[in-house]
Amino acid sequence: MKAKEVADAVRGSSWRTITLLLVGLGVFVTEARATGCPTFDSGISVGSVSYGAVNEASGLASSRGNPGLLWVHNDSGNSAILFVLDAVGNLVRRYVPTGVANWDWEALGIGPGPRAGQTYLYIGDIGDNSVSRDSITVYRVPEPSVKPGKGKPALGISGSVALPMQYPDGAHDAEALFVDPENSDIYIVTKNFGTGVSGIYRYPAPHDESSTVVLEKIKSMCHPSSPGQGHREPRVFDALQGGFIQ
């Protein structure tokens, strides 16, 4: 997984403008210890998003089929729309996956899927602030070849599939998801500010759209800290740093 795919660093947006962060291993981690949480430097601003409809960016993924472009979606309370941006934050096109709802979209991954040669977007409808959902859903959406058109109507994306799933140990809130680029296994990282420990859960491929699958808990992970801010919510990058996965 490339550093620029560590996408949820874009969270924390304002109403009109959000900052895109380029997160690299050498820039992002300043200290990692096998027995504790690392500390982090600030991200590097490479552009801003001024398109008003992107008002609560919650997931971001670097396109595989359209080099130099980024896929973005908003959080809960917004329409089920995917925005395509260029590398500095300019809107390129809007897309609407068919048969998909936005209950609480929190994360976006990209990777392989059931059809060879086709990349897929994995939309994580995994948010649960009240920790009460019986199940969560990841939508698998074929990544289209983007047709630029900033002022044109949104295009539809057919072939979306809902993948319902449950945690083996009760409901959790989560805001991080990533997809194994080799075998398309889905990983979800929960958050828990009370304990400071998150769980990493896996949905191994192949994925069964006909039933609700119980996730496999892989590891527990402490929340890394930011200078002067204490614990923060986990992101995809955190799960990739084996030094503090317990």
Side-chain angles (χ1 to χ4, degrees):
M1 180 175 290
K2 298 179 181 179
K4 64 181 177 179
E5 294 177 85
V6 184
D8 274 69
V10 77
R11 284 189 55 79
S13 59
S14 64
W15 168 248
R16 298 296 296 180
T17 304
I18 61 176
T19 300
L20 296 178
L21 300 177
L22 177 63
V23 183
L25 298 183
V27 174
F28 199 63
V29 176
T30 59
E31 180 182 3
R33 298 182 299 272
T35 57
C37 296
T39 57
F40 296 84
D41 282 338
S42 300
I44 299 172
S45 176
V46 297
S48 62
V49 180
S50 57
Y51 183 61
V54 183
N55 53 21
E56 196 178 0
S58 186
L60 185 152
S62 177
S63 174
R64 297 285 180 82
N66 306 274
L69 298 183
L70 306 170
W71 291 94
V72 183
H73 66 67
N74 281 325
D75 207 331
S76 60
N78 292 278
S79 300
I81 296 177
L82 293 169
F83 303 91
V84 183
L85 309 177
D86 64 20
V88 294
N90 298 311
L91 179 69
V92 176
R93 196 66 191 253
R94 297 174 298 135
Y95 283 85
V96 179
T98 58
V100 170
N102 183 350
W103 177 268
D104 195 353
W105 289 8
E106 290 291 358
L108 184 62
I110 192 166
R115 193 164 79 241
Q118 171 69 57
T119 58
Y120 293 82
L121 298 164
Y122 290 80
I123 305 170
D125 197 330
I126 57 177
D128 189 6
N129 291 331
S130 62
V131 193
S132 61
R133 295 178 67 173
D134 292 330
S135 63
I136 55 176
T137 302
V138 171
Y139 294 102
R140 187 182 65 212
V141 181
E143 184 187 17
S145 177
V146 172
K147 299 178 180 179
K150 177 179 179 179
K152 295 182 179 180
L155 295 175
I157 306 177
S158 61
S160 302
V161 170
L163 302 172
M165 56 196 76
Q166 293 177 321
Y167 295 104
D169 49 1
H172 294 282
D173 192 17
E175 298 192 4
L177 171 153
F178 63 98
V179 180
D180 190 307
E182 297 295 333
N183 59 23
S184 71
D185 286 356
I186 299 171
Y187 291 83
I188 295 173
V189 185
T190 63
K191 67 174 185 178
N192 188 325
F193 288 121
T195 64
V197 177
S198 294
I200 303 175
Y201 298 82
R202 180 174 65 182
Y203 184 169
H207 305 131
D208 182 6
E209 61 191 86
S210 65
S211 63
T212 300
V213 171
V214 177
L215 298 171
E216 174 189 3
K217 186 171 184 179
I218 302 299
K219 294 284 185 180
S220 293
M221 180 185 76
C222 67
H223 290 202
S225 59
S226 299
Q229 298 180 7
H231 292 300
R232 62 164 175 77
E233 65 188 62
R235 307 201 191 282
V236 170
F237 183 84
D238 306 333
L240 301 178
Q241 295 306 293
F244 58 93
I245 292 179
Q246 302 168 343

